[in-house]
Amino acid sequence: LRDALREALVELGGVVNGVGPLAPHVLNVSFLGRRGPELVAALDLEGIAVSSGSACSAGTAAPSPVVTAMVGRERAGSAVRLSLGDGFAPEDVPRVVAAFSRVLDR
């Protein structure tokens, strides 16, 4: 499911943050020219819960220090993190992608 979501978000202009083997339940994607916190708020209104920071820095609007070290401040500032839990199902992929598409079109 993570791979299907990753491929669809890349088609929308996203850039995956991370190389090599990635955790099967987490996806971090940047949308250059956008601000992560603004994407988080817009996606929240669409019913999609994402984060713009790392799990260990919840509650801050600052980009993840780890992502910043990996890809630089600009790309980290446009990143969102998606965590796919046990309840995430195949039918959720198109719903999430459609929400991203609507938000990115604004």
Side-chain angles (χ1 to χ4, degrees):
L1 293 177
R2 190 231 29 231
D3 292 344
L5 188 57
R6 179 187 67 216
E7 290 171 18
L9 294 179
V10 166
E11 285 183 25
L12 292 178
V15 180
V16 176
N17 297 315
V19 295
L22 302 174
H25 64 288
V26 179
L27 179 61
N28 191 295
V29 182
S30 290
F31 291 90
L32 301 175
R34 306 296 180 118
R35 296 193 55 221
E38 291 171 2
L39 290 172
V40 170
L43 289 163
D44 182 54
L45 294 174
E46 295 281 341
I48 306 298
V50 299
S51 174
S52 62
S54 62
C56 59
S57 64
T60 179
S64 161
V66 173
V67 177
T68 300
M70 288 178 7
V71 299
R73 187 155 182 81
E74 180 182 356
R75 192 160 140 189
S78 67
V80 292
R81 177 177 45 89
L82 298 92
S83 298
L84 289 61
D86 289 337
F88 195 80
E91 58 270 16
D92 292 323
V93 172
R95 183 178 64 82
V96 170
V97 172
F100 265 88
S101 182
R102 287 189 298 272
V103 165
L104 294 169
D105 282 345
R106 293 185 206 149

